[in-house]
Amino acid sequence: MLASALVNENELYSAIGEDGFERLVAAFYRQIPGDDVLGPMYRGRDLAAAEHRLREFLIFRFGGPERYIELRGHPRLRARHAPFLVDQTARDRWLQLMGNALVEAQLPAEAEQMLRAFFESTGTFLINRQ
Ligand code: HEM
């Protein structure tokens, strides 16, 4: 078995820090305005604020400071995505853009694998339309 430097999800924050999450989420959101599936969902929304919410959520979720909770309360991610049409196409595109962002951010391999697995399962959980 391969030894892993990361024992559990709560240690991801100390492994990649604010900077790792910052670079990842910035690389993801940079692709949003030009995306034909996801771009239209954000029309009229404040992209910088959306980027901030996702970054703070991930920092909280992976063992960092709980500023997301102070800002937004319990995540309630399914309820918060209910206004948006999240079908298989949207889910797959979200994962594709996040996959690009993961490549760009060049995080340690264990961190990247852990985040990929989390995004894939959460993306599936958030599907709310056939
Ligand atoms: C499956 C495809 C997905 C679509 C189409 C989608 C779309 C959106 C949209 C349009 C917003 C509103 C932006 C805003 O905050 O103003 C949003 C918010 C958010 N999304 Fe997603 N999302 C998806 C998957 C995910 C995944 C996998 C995660 C988990 C990492 C996630 C986490 C969040 C968070 C934390 C917010 C902010 C919630 C809040 O505090 O209001 N989303 N999403």
Side-chain angles (χ1 to χ4, degrees), residues 60-76:
F60 144 71
R61 176 64 180 70
F62 288 97
E66 303 198 341
R67 294 180 302 248
Y68 177 83
I69 302 299
E70 289 157 30
L71 190 73
R72 303 293 285 159
H74 188 278
R76 301 187 302 112

Side-chain angles (χ1 to χ4, degrees), residues 42 45 50 53 57 68 72 80-81 84 86 94 126:
Y42 286 86
R45 304 187 74 87
R53 285 189 279 274
F57 169 75
Y68 177 83
R72 303 293 285 159
R80 289 207 162 111
H81 286 77
F84 309 110
V86 185
W94 197 102
L126 291 176

